[in-house]
Amino acid sequence: MNVRTDSIFKQNYDVIIVGGGPAGSTAAQFSAKSGAKVLLLERDPVLGSPVRCGEGVSERGIKGYISLKGPWIANKLNSLELFSPDNSKIELTANLIGYILDRSIFDKVLGEKAEIAGASIVTKADVKGLLKNNGHLDGVLVQYEEKEYEVRGKIIIGADGVESRVGRWHGIKTMTKMNNMESGIQINATNINIKRDVCQFYFGHEVAPGGYLWVFPKSDNQANIGLAVSGNYSRQKPAKDYLMDFMNKRFPHAEWSTMVAGGIPCNPPLKQLTKSNLLLAGDAGHQVNPLTGAGIANAIQAGRLAGETAGNALKSGGSLEQNLKIYEKKWRRSRGRFHKSATRLKNAVHGFDDDKLNELSRMLIKIPKNDWSMLRIFLFAVRKNPELIIDCIKLFKKF
Amino acid sequence: MSKLDVASRIEPKRKKPDNIEILPEICDLCGACVAVCPPNVMSLIQNDLSIDFNGCTYCSLCIDICPLRAIKGSFN
Ligand SMILES: Cc1cc2nc3c(=O)[nH]c(=O)nc-3n(C[C@H](O)[C@H](O)[C@H](O)COP(=O)(O)OP(=O)(O)OC[C@H]3O[C@@H](n4cnc5c(N)ncnc54)[C@H](O)[C@@H]3O)c2cc1C
Ligand code: SF4
Ligand code: SF4
């Protein structure tokens, strides 16, 4: 038994965070920065591994949280290609479309930032339950090696990713319904002929019904290739079989050393992000963009908000419960509307058959290349009002 | 609504399996099944996925969502 860990578990904390992904580490960093005594518990032996993620982010998504230069940035993208079911291609080029991260490094660095800010991190620590006292949480029950520990804390942050069991243990309805869960699978493919700075997306019922397939290059000859299928369809055929079919067709000579599975919870905004002294952040708080399945940046932003709110709640006196509700208010103010419209758009797009997707792509092709302003107007219009897609199609037909 | 959506909705109700079995050599411990399990009886602890069969309703959603089909249902 590690003596240091034993003594860590015996202390009382201001904030205990469950899960060491981007949401948890960022929450740990910012709550420690605002003066709280913080413990982060992660089940895996090291932060960031295994990588269950396409690793794509926009510059805006991570700017300010980590330097844009460093080994955690694996690649830069200047161009993206969208393939419709009939295989027509839409290309968009820009100075910078986004980055492909190396999350095995990225997540570790976020953890280090939390430690530098003063948080303690224990890995191989499984949180098995919550310590309850009259509807209020006193801490968490941890399994570490062969032993169980009761660890006490004033505020608990559930950043436990897709499973989101911490929320459920405390009575928040965080179960993801089948039509909102995306069943995901990814390989790290080599021996493929791709362009280093171009990412690709493939759509259609044959490739990935109710989802899409991505090719996110890490070099000239290496890419994260993965797909997600809506839980509505994964019963008929598992995600892995869709990916194998695509690889045989498109990259028959590809090789890979790892294949990872993963669920992407593409939910509408969660009705409750806080309850008594519990906050939920990241995938655990259903904060993934439901249309695109992107959740790294959202997890970091929510983690920061949760961490700061927790730190300030302890300092500012008054009712802890009321102080913690500020997190939910702020999140809804900054992200709530966007998340709702992304949900509506997702539902609209999922309802499309291949003919309609082809039609949509023919329409998008007509937008002049590099004309981002027009694309923005289009995206803005459909985001506000998904039904408009149909009107847009009609309108574009006239061109 | 797409044709496929309609099809998946009018599909006849499936018979519930009598047994549910996790195939640990295939399971990647990703947690997708845990997140959709309605009675919350699945847990991933110490690198091991397990089901508390006292609460399991044999609804098969965990089988359906698994990207690798690492859970198997069978009939007696
Ligand atoms: C196949 C796939 C591809 C994706 N591609 C992209 C992409 O390209 N871009 C993008 O932005 N997003 C992508 N996502 C989504 C993205 O990975 C997540 O949104 C992001 O990781 C969420 O961060 P998080 O901190 O909330 O959760 P996670 O990163 O999942 O971290 C949660 C952590 O909590 C730990 N944990 C869980 N339960 C417990 C417990 N009881 N006790 C202790 N520890 C626990 C887990 O081990 C895990 O380390 C993808 C997801 C998948 C599955
Ligand atoms: S969804 Fe499949 S691979 Fe993932 S944890 Fe469940 S059984 Fe294992
Ligand atoms: S069959 Fe249903 S209740 Fe039983 S473990 Fe699977 S998802 Fe949960």
Side-chain angles (χ1 to χ4, degrees), chain B residues 10-52:
Chain B
I10 56 174
E11 229 171 272
K13 270 217 160 159
R14 210 175 4 166
K15 217 181 132 209
K16 286 186 176 183
D18 301 302
N19 310 295
I20 301 244
E21 187 193 351
I22 296 162
L23 309 173
E25 64 287 359
I26 300 177
C27 171
D28 190 35
L29 307 172
C30 76
C33 53
V34 178
V36 299
C37 170
N40 194 15
V41 292
M42 306 187 82
S43 48
L44 259 174
I45 286 184
Q46 306 253 303
N47 279 327
D48 188 35
L49 175 68
S50 63
I51 297 174
D52 172 3

